[in-house]
Amino acid sequence: MMSRKYDDLVPSPDPVSHRVRLISANWKMNLNHLEAIALVQKLYHLLRPEDFRYAEISIHPPFTSLRSLQLSFEADRMPFTLGAQNAADEPSGAFTGEVSAPMLAKLGVGYVIVGHSERRRLFGETSEEVARKAIAVQAMGMRPIICIGETSEQRRTDQTVQVLTEQLDPVLSTYPVKALEGIVIAYEPIWAIGSGESASPELVEEVGGSLRQLLTERVGSATAAQIRLQYGGSVHPGNAHEFMSLEAIDGLLVGGASLDADTFALLVKSC
Ligand code: 13P
């Protein structure tokens, strides 16, 4: 593929919030490294320069594809940011099967998802562990995307804000306030993930507003104003624009719809 020079394609901040939008592709446990390379090459080909100026686009493949994508991005000067889906809270040692933040930083990773509901639910990660992972990520100069979200039962019984507050609390109480400016919070209602039933924009705006209020109370308005908020859960090309238009929302964390280059390109363009 012809290399296009995209060095000038730095995303512009939103004119109102002054935050840089962030659209993230969470591939979960899908695609081998060859499929990963093919997907980003196609995606890059489908996107226009203005798509990269609208938002930063991070791609979060499984660990096995990180090195391949790092080399592809460099070789073809693709202005995607490399992302990971998890990191250990320890830098090294006898932790069989784990991958540490220093290892990810060495691969040029910019964002690391921590505390995805699948990790909390299937692998027993606690909010305290998630906070330690976020700190380990940030200590290596990367930015954590901290996932929070309520179950349908918690929503039905009106516990949403309480649950989200509890999930965020260890982060807000252990982080140095200044460092919080670099974090991204992804609001992903568990019932909306992979279900085809996204949250309504009204609900996301309401929860987003509550989260901004919580952040302002806990860390002050200057720091809170820097923290980016993503929405995730059954985002597709038909609803992405609505979420991106919300005042509280700065970005999207996309699962299923990021696994196909045509669909994800359409989603990004629709924003
Ligand atoms: P879906 O977009 O497939 O609902 O997944 C959302 C998600 O979990 C992203 O992290």
Side-chain angles (χ1 to χ4, degrees):
M1 183 191 289
M2 269 266 294
S3 112
R4 282 182 276 174
K5 286 204 168 57
Y6 273 2
D7 291 349
D8 62 326
L9 294 189
V10 180
S12 316
D14 178 275
V16 178
S17 72
H18 305 295
R19 294 183 288 268
V20 174
R21 304 173 190 92
L22 175 65
I23 301 177
S24 303
N26 177 10
W27 289 357
K28 308 191 180 184
M29 196 174 71
N30 292 292
L31 309 180
N32 63 41
H33 74 289
L34 299 175
E35 293 164 333
I37 294 168
L39 197 159
V40 294
Q41 283 182 339
K42 185 170 179 192
L43 181 63
Y44 175 56
H45 182 72
L46 291 169
L47 292 174
R48 305 155 301 187
E50 54 267 37
D51 299 321
F52 291 101
R53 290 202 193 93
Y54 172 75
E56 185 176 1
I57 301 169
S58 65
I59 310 282
H60 301 247
F63 290 133
T64 48
S65 296
L66 285 173
R67 178 65 174 155
S68 307
L69 291 197
Q70 179 195 25
L71 294 176
S72 294
F73 294 174
E74 277 174 16
D76 289 329
R77 305 174 74 95
M78 300 184 202
F80 298 115
T81 303
L82 193 57
Q85 300 176 17
N86 185 25
D89 58 354
E90 294 283 347
S92 63
F95 301 101
T96 301
E98 291 292 284
V99 172
S100 74
M103 294 169 185
L104 298 175
K106 203 72 179 164
L107 285 162
V109 165
Y111 292 93
V112 182
I113 298 169
V114 295
H116 191 280
S117 62
E118 286 149 16
R119 296 219 54 91
R120 293 176 189 261
R121 188 166 49 88
L122 303 170
F123 303 98
E125 283 188 14
T126 63
S127 296
E128 287 71 24
E129 194 178 351
V130 172
R132 288 197 300 275
K133 289 180 174 210
I135 287 171
V137 163
Q138 197 137 3
M140 292 310 302
M142 303 176 290
R143 293 170 186 269
I145 298 177
I146 301 164
C147 299
I148 56 174
E150 82 286 4
T151 62
S152 54
E153 176 65 13
Q154 288 162 340
R155 160 140 299 279
R156 202 180 53 73
T157 52
D158 222 10
Q159 296 177 70
T160 301
V161 174
Q162 185 200 329
V163 166
L164 302 182
T165 304
E166 283 166 10
Q167 289 173 342
L168 272 183
D169 190 60
V171 172
L172 299 180
S173 50
T174 50
Y175 249 72
V177 167
K178 193 71 190 153
L180 284 165
E181 289 182 359
I183 69 169
V184 178
I185 297 172
Y187 169 53
E188 296 204 307
I190 293 169
W191 46 271
I193 294 176
S195 66
E197 185 205 338
S198 64
S200 70
E202 294 74 27
L203 171 69
V204 175
E205 186 72 338
E206 184 192 319
V207 173
S210 303
L211 287 172
R212 291 234 169 263
Q213 194 185 331
L214 168 76
L215 292 171
T216 303
E217 284 164 13
R218 294 289 299 270
V219 302
S221 55
T223 301
Q226 303 287 320
I227 297 176
R228 288 176 290 174
L229 212 56
Q230 290 182 316
Y231 167 73
S234 298
V235 177
H236 56 74
N239 62 13
H241 176 72
E242 258 189 310
F243 292 119
M244 287 304 285
S245 311
L246 299 174
E247 203 182 311
I249 293 299
D250 309 300
L252 303 168
L253 184 52
V254 185
S258 71
L259 288 171
D260 174 77
D262 289 294
T263 307
F264 191 59
L266 205 60
L267 186 156
V268 171
K269 287 167 193 278
S270 77
C271 292

